[in-house]
Amino acid sequence: AIDDSKPAAADTKMEEEEPEEIVDAVEGDPREHLNLVFIGHVDAGKSTLSGNILYLTENVDKRTIEKYEAEAKERNRESWFLAFIMDTNEEERAKGKTVEVGRAKFETDLHRYSILDAPGHKNYVPNMIMGASQADVGVLVISARKGEFEAGFDKGGQTREHALLAKTLGVTYLVVVINKMDEPTVKWSKVRYDECIGKLRPFLKGCGFKIKKEVKFMPISGLNGANVKDEVAESECGWWKKMWQAGDNNTDKPTLMSLLDSLDMKGRMADAPVRIPVLDRYTDRGTIAMGKVESGTIRPGMKVTVMPTRQKFKVDGVWSEETPLASARPGENVLVKLSGASMEEVQKGFVICTEPACRSVDKLICQIMVMDLPDQARILTAGFTANFHAHCAEEEATVTKIFETTDRKGKVTKGARFANIGQTVICMIELARTVPLEPFDDYPFLGRFTLRTEGKTCAIGVIKKLPPKKE
Ligand code: GDP
């Protein structure tokens, strides 16, 4: 059924504009699209690496490079010019910190990529959540420099929290780059590389990553580009060739670019019902929603249902940036124009669906892992409140019932009344308002979440069960 609540005038207007937009629509680029999120501790080299990738794939013109070089020189930070490519806002440049989630694109013969540059600064974890909720591949940047690896990994360092978030929010692969291998304190030392990896492996396993299938390792210099596009010179690093040829790092590719190109994004469901969590929206002769197609294939002319409101709209156009598309498959970041929709009717955290639409609930049974707790609450009990983050949605949440806990040794306590840090808990969570969600086993990208409070990620979780459907 078509939504009949919208004014007829708006309808006519939309239809007049429609042909012009659809005539130009093109079939999307057949190359697979991947969103990359760069994560890791502040100063690990995320901006420098992503800037250099754009530079090496010739996505930055010479004039821009010269401008950035001059600018960096003026501020006595010559080596930072690559980071400037990513850090586009003035305030950030002055502080040398990447605050907003920057977006940039590059392509190879096999894939198209968007870089969502996640900031390393502690206050910006919520931005990182937004970035990672759209990411297919997390690039965890680790500084091998003496002292820096250790600082990033300690309590308070962001390496742990970012890796956990990336896993919960659903990256398919984690590429761990041991960066700054060119540093005078490192000099492409195999001992240092092995030391970093040796500490990361058990930790990433604890985050829930399947190390062999999902995690790849690689030594690089984001600054001079070694192992980014071209392999490091053998004179500089004699051991790398043997190592990648043997596949010791869960990959047999020599460079980061060839490794990214080798990633197989199977599991994308182009024939399933459409699911597009709304990241943001704006008006331009109608309301246009931004988001990543998580499943299904969206086309202009389709009827969609927006959850949680269940309102139905016609898709007036689908774009990748400026390009009108005839269809968009899973993995694409798109703009979707919804006929006659107002700004209130399409909000961040809503999900654009085709029927059968996803669920929208304010109660869920889930499994969470307690990571950290606010200083005054040493234990988690019923009544615990936090901010619930799932895909692009955020809502106030209360843990209303604990069913059982499992401690680190695997000991299960049924009917437990509280849980400690490190324990896994089966519990009920109630939300202040309904949020579009699904059980993790059906739609992983709509079934995982984090609980945050006071700037900390208290828990990560997956949805096990939703209340029975009312209809
Ligand atoms: P972010 O905070 O993770 O984005 O880190 P930046 O990209 O801003 O880099 C932080 C500092 O590390 C800057 O001074 C960079 O020049 C330096 N840096 C980044 N990558 C490398 C590298 O591969 N080698 C060396 N020697 N320094 C690097």
Side-chain angles (χ1 to χ4, degrees):
I2 300 170
D3 177 12
D4 51 15
S5 65
K6 66 194 172 201
D11 242 343
T12 328
K13 193 165 163 268
M14 287 295 169
E15 256 144 44
E16 272 165 23
E17 285 164 11
E18 192 176 84
E20 174 201 348
E21 284 164 359
I22 295 186
V23 161
D24 300 334
V26 293
E27 281 305 329
D29 192 314
R31 287 174 299 177
E32 189 108 44
H33 179 260
L34 271 70
N35 279 331
L36 307 180
V37 64
F38 285 71
I39 58 182
H41 195 62
V42 60
D43 284 351
K46 300 176 292 297
S47 302
T48 305
L49 172 60
S50 34
N52 211 353
I53 289 176
L54 297 181
Y55 177 66
L56 294 169
T57 54
E58 295 173 19
N59 278 290
V60 192
D61 59 274
K62 216 169 153 226
R63 269 196 48 212
T64 309
I65 298 274
E66 279 163 10
K67 190 178 133 226
Y68 285 135
E69 266 176 324
E71 219 168 294
K73 202 165 190 168
E74 217 166 86
R75 290 166 207 230
N76 287 320
R77 287 179 176 175
E78 281 173 60
S79 69
W80 285 33
F81 88 91
L82 290 168
F84 277 17
I85 295 171
M86 289 301 291
D87 299 356
T88 43
N89 101 29
E90 255 308 302
E91 185 196 54
E92 264 173 45
R93 272 186 220 176
K95 287 196 310 220
K97 290 214 157 55
T98 313
V99 177
E100 285 177 12
V101 179
R103 254 175 210 267
K105 291 177 178 301
F106 66 96
E107 42 186 64
T108 61
D109 292 341
L110 288 169
H111 288 157
R112 290 168 295 132
Y113 298 92
S114 295
I115 299 181
L116 319 167
D117 182 63
H121 195 274
K122 205 176 162 93
N123 293 341
Y124 298 104
V125 170
N127 279 12
M128 140 89 208
I129 291 178
M130 218 169 77
S133 75
Q134 288 205 306
D136 301 298
V137 177
V139 180
L140 175 59
V141 183
I142 302 287
S143 170
R145 190 175 171 183
K146 204 166 174 215
E148 284 188 359
F149 171 75
E150 289 72 14
F153 215 59
D154 278 351
K155 204 169 158 51
Q158 285 114 43
T159 307
R160 289 168 185 272
E161 186 172 23
H162 280 187
L164 260 168
L165 287 171
K167 177 62 196 167
T168 320
L169 293 165
V171 301
T172 310
Y173 294 101
L174 187 73
V175 177
V176 181
V177 292
I178 308 300
N179 191 32
K180 307 198 185 182
M181 291 298 291
D182 62 292
E183 252 282 313
T185 62
V186 185
K187 291 198 206 104
W188 292 90
S189 151
K190 183 171 185 301
V191 174
R192 180 61 167 166
Y193 178 72
D194 289 342
E195 183 191 356
C196 295
I197 303 241
K199 289 197 174 137
L200 286 161
R201 265 182 210 273
F203 161 69
L204 293 171
K205 205 171 158 208
C207 290
F209 284 103
K210 297 183 193 89
I211 301 290
K212 270 219 146 71
K213 261 174 65 187
E214 298 175 339
V215 185
K216 323 272 174 192
F217 298 96
M218 188 161 280
I220 64 160
S221 165
L223 188 63
N224 72 23
N227 280 356
V228 176
K229 186 159 175 264
D230 295 316
E231 194 176 340
V232 61
E234 262 193 285
S235 57
E236 207 166 355
C237 177
W239 49 270
W240 176 237
K241 194 175 275 319
K242 275 181 228 104
M243 209 178 200
W244 70 256
Q245 282 174 344
D248 285 352
N249 299 273
N250 302 338
T251 174
D252 55 3
K253 299 292 181 245
T255 65
L256 179 59
M257 300 295 289
S258 56
L259 165 59
L260 291 174
D261 263 355
S262 73
L263 298 177
D264 179 1
M265 299 307 296
K266 48 179 177 265
R268 284 182 163 175
M269 305 178 286
D271 300 325
V274 169
R275 300 286 186 264
I276 307 175
V278 176
L279 182 65
D280 207 349
R281 86 292 199 218
Y282 62 93
T283 49
D284 178 14
R285 297 183 303 155
T287 297
I288 297 177
M290 265 170 67
K292 177 182 159 200
V293 183
E294 289 287 3
S295 76
T297 302
I298 187 153
R299 298 185 179 84
M302 262 183 168
K303 295 257 159 49
V304 292
T305 305
V306 172
M307 295 303 287
T309 60
R310 286 205 171 278
Q311 277 187 294
K312 292 186 165 50
F313 299 101
K314 193 170 98 203
V315 176
D316 258 356
V318 178
W319 291 264
S320 164
E321 314 229 295
E322 309 275 278
T323 313
L325 298 178
S327 68
R329 293 161 303 151
E332 298 289 340
N333 299 329
V334 289
L335 301 174
V336 180
K337 186 167 182 175
L338 298 175
S339 176
S342 70
M343 287 284 273
E344 287 68 43
E345 291 168 328
V346 191
Q347 295 181 29
K348 177 169 153 18
F350 284 14
V351 179
I352 298 172
C353 304
T354 51
E355 295 290 345
C358 70
R359 302 288 309 279
S360 187
V361 296
D362 56 8
K363 247 191 212 138
L364 40 124
I365 291 177
C366 53
Q367 178 175 21
I368 63 174
M369 195 177 126
V370 186
M371 314 272 316
D372 203 350
L373 289 167
D375 294 332
Q376 71 276 17
R378 307 290 348 156
I379 52 171
L380 184 145
T381 55
F384 178 81
T385 60
N387 286 320
F388 172 93
H389 296 258
H391 55 92
C392 308
E394 190 186 337
E395 192 52 71
E396 277 171 48
T398 309
V399 173
T400 51
K401 190 167 173 47
I402 294 176
F403 298 104
E404 65 172 58
T405 58
T406 307
D407 70 10
R408 285 181 226 245
K409 291 186 185 128
K411 185 173 156 262
V412 179
T413 310
K414 295 227 182 271
R417 306 243 307 279
F418 62 89
N420 292 307
I421 291 174
Q423 292 188 327
T424 305
V425 186
I426 308 276
C427 61
M428 164 116 67
I429 287 181
E430 295 191 30
L431 304 170
R433 291 176 304 177
T434 69
V435 173
L437 297 167
E438 292 278 15
F440 178 83
D441 288 342
D442 301 342
Y443 286 94
F445 51 86
L446 294 178
R448 42 166 88 92
F449 62 89
T450 63
L451 294 178
R452 290 183 48 82
T453 181
E454 293 175 16
K456 288 178 181 168
T457 304
C458 307
I460 56 177
V462 295
I463 300 171
K464 289 289 183 194
K465 226 174 136 177
L466 298 178
K469 277 188 192 170
K470 283 192 196 108
E471 306 92 303

